[in-house]
Amino acid sequence: MNKNSSNIMALAPNTSNKRETVCIFGTGDFGRALGHKMIQSGYPVVYGSRSTQISNLIPKDAEVLSHAEAAQKAAIIIIAIQRQHYNFLIPLAEILHGKVLVDISNNLKLNQYPESNAEYLAQLLPGSRVVKAFNTVSAWALQSGTLDASRQVFVCGDDVEAKQMVMNIVRALSLTPLDKGSLLAAQEIENYPLQLFPIWKFPIFLSLGLTAFFFFYCLALDVIYTYIYERNNFSFFIAITIPNRVCPVMALILLALVYLPGIFAAIIQLYRGTKYRRFPDWLDKWMLCRKQLGLIALAFASLHVVFTLVTPMRAFVSWRTSKGIISQVLNNKTEPLSNTNAWISDSYLALGILGFFLFVLLGITSLPSVSNNVNWREFRFVQSKLGYLALILCTAHTLVYGGKWFLSPSAYKWYLPNIYILALIVPCAVLVVKFVLIFPCVDKPLTQIRQGWERNPKHSEQSNYIINKSAV
Ligand code: NAP
């Protein structure tokens, strides 16, 4: 009997867990969206506004009072107002004394002011406990419920208790608080929403530069050279032929560039005999954008697949096929099937299909929703082992397809190598060095170093230690 009643007690809602009233200053877009979400999560909300008239836009169940009246009703006040209006808070300093003020503001430009908005607020109201939060969440995402991609809420502040109170609200709204430390971190947090694809910059610029280079390279050799020396106008190659040469080359080179920094890291660690010394900055940055390089490579590979699939529809291809048939008819001679050619074409197609399949698998496992569901070992297996296998297959695909041009003098127009030879330099270099690195005599010391062993511990004690992320 007793046991049953205790179970019932455990299942009954905890009525004492009533949420505390939260005050929001400002009934603008963000104030309304946040208030709406808070009411849904069980918080009584009171707005402090210049106008106490209730409009249809304000969430039902919320009260709208003057700033002073609203502030008196809550211990936490969210300042949903632009920084340039913060002066109006000075006369309220006494009422706001000891209260937790949540600064959610953003600026229009990076480092727009000498101090962060949150530090500015703390200077204006030294008696209040200022916490920075919510600025990386958009009003639209709050209102529409599309917060999946931005569930993290960065929180910082000097008062630990105040920060904890704000983090509890963040959790209650089904978001994830991420403690960034003291209010000194506010400037960095305020800069986050103003950054435009920061990790993508290097991969995008590199891809654009290489694409432009290879495009003009092909244009010179396949269109301009042919026009000058053979009087053939192949300018239409610009639409499909050249892009279908540039895309696979880019996909292969970028995939190799995903694995190249890991090779450099291994060589550096072997040379230094320790993992406790920082990699050069350029290598650190390169390692951080490997996923982006891989995704751009996948985009190029997908374009190559689409361009290849439309090949039979092209007028040039139908003309070339019918020309071959007509010449056989005119000569009254059927060309026998070359077994070697059939093998070559089937082999490079099979290698390409398998390589592309693994490429797609790598792309899928890099999605946060998938990578969150595999453990570190599984993730490493796919990204490292299967990734290298994808690189081997794609390199072999290019070798088998482009190999016929390597020794042919006609491929060296203007003494320049064919684009497929250029495409193979980086991937082959990566694969050869990787092959050397997996030799037991090299792999053993490298594994030991990555497990913390040092060849010369005394030397590394004197240096500035920062543990490198072990390279995949
Ligand atoms: P908003 O729509 O322009 O609303 C700002 C509110 O501030 C106004 O509705 C007004 O509320 C109040 N206000 C305006 N002038 C004032 C003055 N002179 N004195 C006192 N109060 C004044 O702006 P918002 O989009 O809600 O953004 C508010 C803050 O949230 C900004 O700092 C912004 O950077 C930050 N934020 C916005 C978003 C977003 O998606 N919108 C996302 C993250 C952070 P009353 O009329 O009720 O007084």
Side-chain angles (χ1 to χ4, degrees), residues 131-150:
V131 175
K132 180 92 206 173
F134 290 113
N135 68 308
T136 52
V137 180
S138 82
W140 178 81
L142 273 174
Q143 205 140 26
S144 60
T146 50
L147 272 163
D148 277 358
S150 53

Side-chain angles (χ1 to χ4, degrees), residues 25-32 48-51 67 79-83 85-86 88 104-107 134-140:
F25 276 5
T27 56
D29 293 340
F30 196 82
R32 291 197 309 271
S49 172
R50 293 167 302 169
S51 152
H67 292 114
I79 315 291
I81 291 168
Q82 317 282 353
R83 166 186 169 135
H85 304 310
Y86 280 3
F88 89 96
I104 55 143
S105 62
N106 282 320
N107 294 319
F134 290 113
N135 68 308
T136 52
V137 180
S138 82
W140 178 81

Side-chain angles (χ1 to χ4, degrees), residues 335-349 400 404:
E335 293 218 346
L337 173 71
S338 156
N339 229 299
T340 317
N341 282 348
W343 259 109
I344 289 176
S345 83
D346 282 10
S347 307
Y348 77 70
L349 285 174
V400 177
K404 57 183 178 244

Side-chain angles (χ1 to χ4, degrees), residues 195-203:
Q195 287 168 348
L196 190 67
F197 302 123
I199 312 176
W200 284 88
K201 249 185 210 154
F202 169 68

